[in-house]
C-alpha cells in the first residue's frame, strides 16, 4: 500500500443554477490576460449539449485519455515514439475555432462616431487580430439550448439512446436540461502528464494538484489533446500550456479555490482523500462496467488503522489524516456512494465527483390538462425525464445500475424529507423507499444536512499546509500575499 | 582581407554568440524557451509547411553532419556511381520538399491574420535568412554537381580546421560564390540562434522515450520511518 493524499472535489448538480459565477471568479483571478482570454479553466455547460470546446467528449476527434490494448494501458494519442513523430503537426489538436475567437467591442465608437441618422453601434473586434469579427461562437453559446439542432442534438452521449428516446427528450413540452460545471479533475492517472514530452506537467505528490511548469513547457501542446476533458489550454501569446491549478496559492493558505468560494448554488465541496497509489495502473485497466467501483476501491478509509499506519510511513502527518476523516468528499463518494466521476471510461481516474441531478417527471400534459397521474410523489427513477442510459454514459462509464442506485438514494432522501416536513407522504412510504435504496434514516439525515444546510466549514475541509510559517521565515506575510500568483518573472510577450 | 574576416574570424564570433547566448537565455529567461507553435491559430496550411520542412531539414542537416564527422563513409558510398546518384537524388528531393515547406510557412505567416499578429520581427528575419540558406544550398547542388563528393574535400577539412582552432580559409576561398554565401549564412544562423525561436531545437524531448508516463514531484522528499 502506497498511501498518498489528494485534494478532491464534489459538485452537487442538483444545486447548480447555471449562473456562471464560478467561471467569472476564475477568469478574474487567472485568465484575464492576453493569450488566455479564450480559456475558461472553469466552465459551465448545458447538457444535452456539445460543450466547450465543441465536442470535447468525442475522443475519436481529439484522442484524449487512455485505451487498453492487449493488457497494456496507453495514451489514446499513441505510444511514445508514435506520439513524437507527430511533434511537427499534431493531427488531433483542437484549434481556436473549436473554442471561439475572443472578442471585445469598439466602445469608443459610441462616443466618437460622427453625427448621423443612425445610432452608433459598438462592433465586435477580435482580441487576437484586432479586426472586425462576426461572432459565431462563444464560451457558453449552448447555454440553456436544449433541443437546439447545433448544440443539444449533437451531444455524443445521445448515441446511447434510440431515435424515439432522443425525440422524446427534445419534445417541446418535455424539454429538459441540466448544468455541468467543469474544472480540471486533478486526475490520479492524468492524460495530460503522460503525453507531455518535456515532462513539464506534474502531479504534486503531497496534495495531488496537477500543474504545468511554465519554465519547462516548450509548447509541444500534446497535453491539449491528451487531456480527455480539454482542461489544458495553449496560450497562443506565450507559446506555453496552462491549466487550472486548483488555486494552490489559496488552498495553501487555507482558502478554498476561487470558483468554490464564489459558487452561488453552494454546490461545491472540497476535502482530502487518501488513496493507494500502487494500484492506479491496475484500476485504470478495469473494463468499463467495473471502472467506477474500481476507482472507489482505490480510495482508502482514513479510520482504518492499517491505512493510517501506511499513511504515516509515507510522511502524511496526523493533522492531514484527521482532516481526511472529516472530508465531505469521502462521505459523498465512499460512504454514501452518490457522487460519481464524469466519463470514467477516459481512464484518467478523475478526482472531481458529481452528484447526478434528479430529474423526475412530476406531471404530464394530457389533453391540455395538467395530470399528476396516480404515481408515487416523485415517480420512479426509471421514468426520469433524462433516460438512465444517457446519465450512465456521463457518470458511470455506461453502467446504468450505478447511476440508478445513486439517484434512487437521492430520491429516497427527498421523499423522507417530504414526509418529515410537508407530510403529504406517509412515513411508512418514505421508509420503504429508503430501505429500497439501502439508506438508513441517519444516513438520509446526514445527506440532507450536507446537501441543504452545510456551513462553509462543512463544505470546505482543507488540510493545513503550514506554508505560512515557512513563508514568514523569509518574507513578510503582507508582501508575500501581493506576490502570490502564477509567478511570471516578466510580462508574457510574443509578437511585435 | 574580407575573406580572412568572414572565414577566419566571423565563425568564432558566431560560435561565441551562440553558446554564450544560449546559456544566458536559458539561465535568465527559460520561460521564453518554446517552440511558440501557431498550430492552435491555424492548422490547415501548417501541415503542408511544417511537416515537409521539419522532416526535410532534419535529414539534410544530418547529411551535412555525417559529411563533417564521417567523410570516409560518404566516400565509401560514393565509390559506386549508382549509390552516388541515389544519395544526391534523395538529398535534392528532400531539399526541394523542405523548400516547398518553407515557402508555405512564409506565405502562411503573411496571409493568415491570426498567425501574422503573433509574428515577431525576429521571426521575419529568421525566415528570410533560412530561405536564403535553402536557396543558395539548392542552387549549389544544381550548378555544381556531386556536392557530396567535393563537400568532404572542402567544407569538411575547413570546418575541422575551425574546430581545432587553426582555421584554414584556403578551402573556402577556392569555392564558388554561391557556396561561400551558403557558408557565411550558416554562421549568421548560428549567431541568430539564441535570440530566435531556433532554440527549440535544443529542447528535442528525446528523454520522453524513456520516461515513465506519470511525473510525480515531492515538495519535500518523504522521510520514510522504517
Ligand atoms: S482533467 Fe486535469 S489532470 Fe486530468 S488529464 Fe485533464 S488536465 Fe490533466
Ligand atoms: S457558481 Fe455554482 S451554481 Fe453558479 S454555475 Fe457555477 S457551479 Fe453552478
Amino acid at each position: 500500500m502506497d498511501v498518498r493524499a489528494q485534494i478532491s472535489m464534489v459538485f452537487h448538480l442538483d444545486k447548480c443554477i447555471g449562473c456562471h459565477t464560478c467561471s467569472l471568479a476564475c477568469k478574474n483571478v487567472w485568465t484575464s490576460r492576453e493569450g488566455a482570454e479564450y480559456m475558461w479553466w472553469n466552465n459551465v455547460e448545458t447538457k444535452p449539449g456539445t460543450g466547450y470546446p465543441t465536442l470535447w467528449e468525442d475522443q475519436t476527434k481529439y484522442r484524449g485519455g487512455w485505451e487498453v490494448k492487449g493488457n497494456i494501458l496507453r495514451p489514446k494519442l499513441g505510444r511514445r515514439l508514435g506520439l513524437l513523430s507527430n511533434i511537427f503537426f499534431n493531427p488531433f489538436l483542437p484549434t481556436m475555432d473549436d473554442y471561439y475567437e475572443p472578442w471585445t467591442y469598439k466602445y469608443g465608437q459610441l462616443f466618437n462616431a460622427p453625427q448621423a441618422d443612425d445610432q452608433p453601434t459598438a462592433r465586435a473586434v477580435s482580441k487576437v487580430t484586432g479586426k472586425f469579427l462576426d461572432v459565431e461562437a462563444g464560451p457558453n453559446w449552448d447555454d440553456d439550448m436544449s433541443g437546439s439542432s447545433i448544440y443539444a442534438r449533437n451531444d455524443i452521449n445521445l448515441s446511447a439512446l434510440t431515435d424515439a428516446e432522443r425525440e422524446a427528450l427534445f419534445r417541446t413540452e418535455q424539454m429538459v436540461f441540466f448544468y455541468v460545471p467543469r474544472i480540471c479533475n486533478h486526475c490520479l492517472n492524468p492524460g495530460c502528464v503522460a503525453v507531455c514530452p518535456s515532462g513539464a506537467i506534474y502531479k504534486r505528490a503531497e496534495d495531488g494538484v496537477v500543474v504545468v511548469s511554465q519554465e519547462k513547457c516548450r509548447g509541444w501542446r500534446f497535453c491539449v489533446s491528451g487531456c480527455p476533458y480539454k482542461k489544458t489550454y495553449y496560450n497562443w501569446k506565450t507559446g506555453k500550456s496552462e491549466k487550472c491549478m486548483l488555486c494552490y496559492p489559496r488552498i495553501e493558505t487555507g482558502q478554498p479555490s476561487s470558483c468554490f468560494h464564489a459558487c452561488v448554488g453552494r454546490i461545491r465541496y472540497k476535502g482530502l482523500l487518501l488513496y493507494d497509489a500502487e494500484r492506479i495502473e491496475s484500476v485504470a485497466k478495469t473494463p468499463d462496467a467495473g471502472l467506477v467501483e474500481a476507482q472507489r476501491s482505490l480510495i482508502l478509509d482514513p479510520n482504518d488503522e492499517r491505512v493510517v499506519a501506511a499513511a504515516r510511513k509515507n510522511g502524511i502527518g496526523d493533522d492531514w489524516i484527521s482532516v481526511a476523516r472529516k472530508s465531505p468528499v469521502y462521505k459523498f463518494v465512499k460512504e454514501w456512494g452518490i457522487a460519481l466521476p464524469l466519463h470514467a471510461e477516459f481512464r484518467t481516474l478523475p478526482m472531481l465527483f458529481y452528484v447526478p441531478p434528479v430529474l423526475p417527471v412530476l406531471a404530464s400534459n394530457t389533453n391540455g390538462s395538467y395530470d399528476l397521474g396516480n404515481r408515487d410523489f416523485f415517480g420512479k427513477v426509471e421514468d426520469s425525464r433524462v433516460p438512465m442510459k444517457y446519465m450512465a454514459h456521463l457518470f458511470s462509464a455506461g453502467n446504468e445500475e450505478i447511476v440508478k442506485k445513486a439517484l434512487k438514494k437521492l430520491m429516497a432522501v427527498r421523499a423522507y424529507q417530504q414526509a418529515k416536513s410537508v407530510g403529504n407522504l406517509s412515513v411508512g412510504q418514505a421508509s420503504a423507499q429508503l430501505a429500497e435504496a439501502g439508506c438508513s434514516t441517519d444516513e438520509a439525515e446526514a445527506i440532507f444536512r450536507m446537501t441543504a444546510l452545510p456551513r462553509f466549514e462543512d463544505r470546505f475541509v482543507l488540510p493545513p499546509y503550514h506554508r505560512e510559517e515557512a513563508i514568514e521565515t523569509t518574507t513578510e506575510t503582507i508582501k508575500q500575499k501581493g506576490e502570490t500568483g502564477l509567478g511570471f518573472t516578466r510580462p508574457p510577450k510574443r509578437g511585435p | 582581407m574580407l575573406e580572412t574576416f568572414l572565414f577566419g574570424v566571423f565563425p568564432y564570433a558566431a560560435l561565441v554568440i551562440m553558446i554564450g547566448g544560449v546559456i544566458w537565455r536559458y539561465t535568465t529567461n527559460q520561460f521564453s524557451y518554446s517552440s511558440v507553435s501557431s498550430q492552435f491559430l491555424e492548422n490547415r496550411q501548417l501541415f503542408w509547411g511544417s511537416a515537409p520542412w521539419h522532416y526535410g531539414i532534419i535529414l539534410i542537416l544530418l547529411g551535412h553532419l555525417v559529411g563533417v564527422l564521417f567523410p570516409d563513409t560518404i566516400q565509401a558510398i560514393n565509390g559506386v556511381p549508382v549509390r552516388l546518384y541515389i544519395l544526391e537524388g534523395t538529398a535534392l528531393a528532400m531539399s526541394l520538399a523542405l523548400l516547398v515547406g518553407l515557402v508555405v510557412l512564409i506565405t502562411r505567416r503573411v496571409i493568415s491574420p491570426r498567425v501574422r499578429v503573433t509574428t515577431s520581427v525576429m521571426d521575419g528575419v529568421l525566415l528570410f535568412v533560412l530561405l536564403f540558406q535553402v536557396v543558395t544550398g539548392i542552387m549549389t547542388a544544381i550548378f555544381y554537381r556531386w556536392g557530396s563528393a567535393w563537400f568532404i574535400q572542402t567544407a569538411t577539412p575547413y570546418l575541422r580546421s575551425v574546430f581545432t582552432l587553426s582555421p584554414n580559409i584556403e578551402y573556402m576561398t577556392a569555392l564558388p560564390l554561391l557556396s561561400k554565401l551558403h557558408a557565411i549564412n550558416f554562421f549568421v544562423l548560428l549567431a541568430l540562434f539564441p535570440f530566435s525561436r531556433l532554440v527549440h531545437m535544443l529542447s528535442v524531448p528525446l528523454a520522453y522515450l524513456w520516461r515513465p508516463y506519470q511525473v510525480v514531484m515531492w515538495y519535500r522528499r518523504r522521510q520514510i520511518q522504517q
Side-chain angles (χ1 to χ4, degrees):
Chain A
M1 206 179 337
D2 180 6
V3 181
R4 283 187 208 155
Q6 166 82 38
I7 304 247
S8 39
M9 308 146 270
V10 165
F11 287 1
H12 198 310
L13 294 186
D14 257 336
K15 304 210 289 168
C16 180
I17 56 172
C19 61
H20 300 267
T21 308
C22 44
S23 303
L24 288 174
C26 175
K27 167 95 356 207
N28 283 335
V29 181
W30 301 119
T31 58
S32 58
R33 294 168 282 129
E34 194 173 15
E37 319 88 335
Y38 84 93
M39 297 181 197
W40 293 87
W41 292 356
N42 180 108
N43 76 301
V44 183
E45 47 199 57
T46 299
K47 285 279 162 198
T50 46
Y52 159 88
T54 305
L55 291 172
W56 62 270
E57 292 155 292
D58 186 354
Q59 304 311 341
T60 55
K61 193 171 160 157
Y62 298 126
R63 303 275 182 105
W66 301 80
E67 62 190 4
V68 182
K69 278 262 165 87
N71 193 29
I72 293 179
L73 184 70
R74 57 178 234 192
K76 267 218 176 78
L77 262 182
R79 270 193 279 200
R80 296 179 179 84
L81 197 59
L83 184 132
L84 283 193
S85 68
N86 279 335
I87 201 160
F88 306 126
F89 180 84
N90 175 359
F92 311 107
L93 185 76
T95 64
M96 182 169 266
D97 300 308
D98 294 305
Y99 301 79
Y100 69 99
E101 185 162 341
W103 73 91
T104 180
Y105 295 95
K106 279 219 157 194
Y107 293 109
Q109 283 280 312
L110 298 178
F111 303 97
N112 307 332
Q115 197 161 17
D117 293 339
D118 303 310
Q119 288 269 9
T121 54
R123 272 182 74 187
V125 281
S126 162
K127 280 204 147 188
V128 182
T129 61
K131 298 210 170 68
F132 286 123
L133 185 72
D134 284 324
V135 180
E136 274 169 8
N140 56 343
W141 234 227
D142 59 350
D143 217 28
D144 297 0
M145 294 291 270
S146 187
S148 98
S149 55
I150 4 177
Y151 302 113
R153 282 168 205 260
N154 289 323
D155 183 334
I156 68 156
N157 300 294
L158 297 173
S159 64
L161 310 188
T162 63
D163 286 346
E165 284 171 321
R166 227 171 296 167
E167 273 325 297
L169 196 58
F170 294 132
R171 218 174 302 139
T172 313
E173 305 81 30
Q174 295 188 356
M175 195 77 81
V176 61
F177 61 82
F178 57 97
Y179 302 109
V180 181
R182 304 198 299 119
I183 66 171
C184 164
N185 299 291
H186 297 277
C187 308
L188 293 187
N189 187 33
C192 57
V193 175
V195 299
C196 171
S198 313
I201 314 184
Y202 61 95
K203 192 170 180 65
R204 309 204 312 176
E206 281 79 6
D207 60 8
V209 176
V210 177
V211 284
V212 186
S213 160
Q214 293 291 299
E215 297 270 292
K216 283 195 193 164
C217 171
R218 295 289 176 265
W220 302 126
R221 72 223 167 271
F222 283 112
C223 52
V224 181
S225 314
C227 166
Y229 301 92
K230 294 291 154 285
K231 281 295 167 193
T232 25
Y233 300 85
Y234 181 72
N235 183 315
W236 55 267
K237 189 76 181 173
T238 60
K240 303 267 168 167
S241 289
E242 298 180 8
K243 65 184 285 300
C244 155
M245 24 79 176
L246 210 56
C247 292
Y248 70 78
R250 285 177 62 92
I251 51 179
E252 281 174 9
T253 45
Q255 312 163 79
S257 314
S258 281
C259 56
F260 285 73
H261 205 143
C263 176
V264 172
R266 302 185 178 183
I267 80 158
R268 298 177 175 222
Y269 302 81
K270 181 177 266 189
L272 208 60
L273 291 181
L274 300 180
Y275 68 97
D276 183 3
E278 221 167 69
R279 290 182 48 236
I280 290 177
E281 194 178 333
S282 67
V283 164
K285 282 190 203 166
T286 317
D288 280 0
L291 256 175
V292 173
E293 265 318 313
Q295 184 175 348
R296 262 187 209 148
S297 76
L298 209 53
I299 299 165
L300 303 169
D301 180 357
N303 288 310
D304 182 334
E305 273 316 313
R306 280 171 314 158
V307 172
V308 171
R312 284 203 188 112
K313 214 172 119 199
N314 264 2
I316 300 175
D318 284 347
D319 46 357
W320 279 50
I321 294 171
S322 70
V323 163
R325 289 192 180 126
K326 286 182 274 177
S327 167
V329 181
Y330 186 80
K331 293 193 179 106
F332 273 113
V333 178
K334 270 293 255 209
E335 274 176 30
W336 306 331
I338 52 176
L340 307 167
L342 179 65
H343 285 301
E345 75 278 11
F346 296 161
R347 295 170 196 282
T348 60
L349 309 183
M351 282 288 116
L352 159 56
F353 301 87
Y354 290 88
V355 177
V358 179
L359 296 160
V361 178
L362 288 180
S364 51
N365 185 341
T366 327
N367 301 327
S369 68
Y370 195 65
D371 180 13
L372 285 170
N374 50 0
R375 58 169 67 87
D376 303 340
F377 188 70
F378 283 129
K380 285 207 171 48
V381 167
E382 287 81 358
D383 20 85
S384 280
R385 292 196 287 167
V386 177
M388 281 305 111
K389 269 188 252 171
Y390 180 87
M391 286 297 191
H393 210 270
L394 277 178
F395 298 114
S396 57
N399 185 337
E400 282 178 50
E401 286 315 307
I402 292 177
V403 231
K404 229 187 262 176
K405 215 171 138 196
L407 287 173
K408 271 199 178 138
K409 198 178 259 189
L410 290 165
M411 293 268 246
V413 172
R414 284 188 182 194
Y416 172 72
Q417 281 304 321
Q418 188 83 15
K420 247 180 68 179
S421 52
V422 184
N424 56 350
L425 272 179
S426 78
V427 177
Q429 264 176 313
S431 311
Q433 215 171 323
L434 274 184
E436 200 201 322
C439 182
S440 69
T441 46
D442 281 350
E443 190 177 330
E445 204 63 61
I447 294 177
F448 165 69
R449 298 204 76 79
M450 191 55 103
T451 305
L453 307 169
R455 292 163 307 166
F456 193 86
E457 319 76 88
D458 301 326
R459 286 184 283 139
F460 310 123
V461 186
L462 296 169
Y465 279 75
H466 307 301
R467 204 63 48 100
E468 68 286 0
E469 291 161 24
I471 290 163
E472 269 169 13
T473 59
T474 55
T475 329
E476 271 178 65
T477 26
I478 297 291
K479 189 156 173 280
Q480 161 70 23
K481 204 172 156 192
E483 289 169 351
T484 298
L486 227 36
F488 283 121
T489 49
R490 62 192 72 217
K493 265 252 179 312
R494 179 184 178 188
Chain B
M1 188 57 215
L2 181 64
E3 292 195 323
T4 316
F5 171 75
L6 286 178
F7 295 114
V9 182
F10 180 55
Y12 291 106
L15 274 170
V16 168
I17 294 175
M18 163 163 172
I19 296 168
V22 163
I23 294 172
W24 165 78
R25 183 160 166 195
Y26 192 83
T27 48
T28 63
N29 189 9
Q30 215 197 123
F31 176 63
S32 73
Y33 258 66
S34 168
S35 61
V36 278
S37 160
S38 54
Q39 187 184 355
F40 178 72
L41 298 171
E42 192 293 318
N43 82 342
R44 282 193 195 94
Q45 298 157 32
L46 181 69
F47 174 75
W48 302 104
S50 182
W53 161 256
H54 280 102
Y55 282 111
I57 195 72
I58 287 174
L59 287 175
I60 295 290
L61 272 180
L62 278 180
H64 282 67
L65 203 64
V66 172
V68 176
L69 295 179
F70 313 106
D72 299 346
T73 319
I74 301 283
Q75 202 148 25
I77 293 176
N78 289 349
V80 181
V82 185
R83 292 198 294 220
L84 171 67
Y85 303 151
I86 294 178
L87 180 75
E88 291 266 330
T90 325
L92 192 61
M94 289 321 299
S95 46
L96 288 176
L98 73 87
L99 176 65
V100 170
L102 188 58
V103 170
V104 172
L105 289 177
I106 292 173
T107 323
R108 171 177 173 270
R109 288 245 151 227
V110 177
I111 65 172
S112 163
R114 285 187 197 157
V115 180
R116 193 159 66 204
V117 293
T118 52
T119 304
S120 64
V121 178
M122 182 50 94
D123 289 342
V125 172
L126 183 65
L127 284 169
F128 178 78
V129 175
L130 282 173
L131 186 66
F132 186 81
Q133 187 70 350
V134 172
V135 170
T136 51
I138 294 180
M139 280 168 67
T140 306
I142 292 173
F143 294 130
Y144 305 98
R145 274 293 149 90
W146 320 132
S148 62
W150 57 256
F151 180 92
I152 53 178
Q153 313 295 347
T154 52
T156 301
Y158 165 67
L159 285 171
R160 288 183 164 203
S161 75
V162 169
F163 281 108
T164 50
L165 301 182
S166 51
N168 188 344
I169 67 166
E170 252 113 75
Y171 288 114
M172 295 314 282
T173 48
L175 287 181
L177 180 66
L178 265 179
S179 316
K180 282 185 195 158
L181 290 176
H182 190 69
I184 294 163
N185 201 46
F186 166 68
F187 291 111
V188 172
L189 272 172
L190 282 191
L192 286 180
F193 190 95
F195 313 105
S196 66
R197 58 168 65 205
L198 283 184
V199 288
H200 78 278
M201 284 166 68
L202 294 180
S203 308
V204 180
L206 286 180
Y208 179 63
L209 294 174
W210 294 277
R211 194 196 85 194
Y213 279 126
Q214 297 305 352
V215 183
V216 175
M217 297 246 214
W218 294 86
Y219 181 66
R220 64 199 128 78
R221 283 286 344 145
R222 64 181 138 164
Q223 298 114 26
I224 297 174
Q225 301 127 21
Q226 302 293 359

